[in-house]
Amino acid sequence: MSSQKILLPYNFTSYDRKALDFAIRSFAHQKDVEITLFNAYTPVPEIEVRGSPVMEKMRGTLGYLSQKIKEQEDELKVVRNKLLGKGFSEDRIHTIFEPKKKDIAGDIIDLALKGRFNVVVLNRKPGKIIRFFTGSVFNKVETSLKEATVCIVS
């Protein structure tokens, strides 16, 4: 079993790239590390068209959203390949690309507990007053995961 199991939520932002670079710098040289890239996407709803012209237009939009989800799944594979190129062994890199079940923080917490991750690497976006009222992902994760190390990259 690996000495470190790292969970790296990845949502394709520049802040996520910083967190990825941190994980590479900090853990690539260690041979007993497993890293899991995690993306929870918003699934495209299924609608019934039934010959309605308005719903036909909606189907085109939903097709576009489905294509964007597929592109993100492909991009997650590119990120995986970057980890391979930086020294992580293939059998120690995992990807989880699945629909959101709760909110992002809740999905990260559930996965971290279920997968028994030792380390969770998150990014922190500066600013945005709305977080004062709703709470940030990293605050929710940090307060919920008592048995894991939570690294915040800003």
Side-chain angles (χ1 to χ4, degrees):
M1 184 166 149
S2 296
S3 68
Q4 296 285 337
K5 284 184 71 177
I6 301 164
L7 177 60
L8 179 62
Y10 199 84
N11 201 32
F12 315 102
T13 68
S14 60
Y15 300 106
D16 293 319
R17 285 187 288 280
K18 281 183 171 182
L20 176 68
D21 291 340
F22 168 81
I24 290 169
R25 284 190 315 274
S26 301
F27 302 106
H29 63 282
Q30 298 178 21
K31 299 300 177 203
D32 58 347
V33 168
E34 282 188 37
I35 189 164
T36 300
L37 296 168
F38 172 62
N39 178 273
Y41 61 89
T42 302
V44 177
E46 294 194 22
I47 61 167
E48 203 163 311
V49 177
R50 292 191 189 179
S52 168
V54 172
M55 297 310 275
E56 283 291 334
K57 288 181 184 179
M58 180 73 79
R59 183 170 31 181
T61 301
L62 295 177
Y64 171 78
L65 293 174
S66 295
Q67 178 61 34
K68 287 306 222 183
I69 290 171
K70 175 68 176 129
E71 289 171 9
Q72 285 186 332
E73 186 175 22
D74 293 342
E75 180 65 23
L76 200 61
K77 292 174 186 172
V78 170
V79 173
R80 182 184 189 283
N81 289 336
K82 182 176 181 175
L83 288 170
L84 281 171
K86 296 294 183 174
F88 287 92
S89 62
E90 187 165 359
D91 61 329
R92 304 250 183 220
I93 303 171
H94 310 284
T95 57
I96 299 174
F97 186 78
E98 64 185 20
K100 264 190 238 180
K101 295 177 185 101
K102 297 179 178 180
D103 62 350
I104 294 296
D107 287 345
I108 291 169
I109 292 164
D110 289 349
L111 181 59
L113 293 172
K114 185 176 106 183
R116 297 183 180 194
F117 288 91
N118 314 78
V119 179
V120 179
V121 178
L122 299 174
N123 68 64
R124 182 180 180 281
K125 296 178 202 168
K128 292 204 179 177
I129 190 69
I130 191 80
R131 287 193 194 102
F132 178 74
F133 299 104
T134 62
S136 65
V137 169
F138 85 90
N139 271 339
K140 291 176 184 176
V141 170
E142 178 204 24
T143 56
S144 297
L145 297 179
K146 301 296 182 199
E147 299 298 318
T149 300
V150 179
C151 297
I152 308 299
V153 179
S154 62

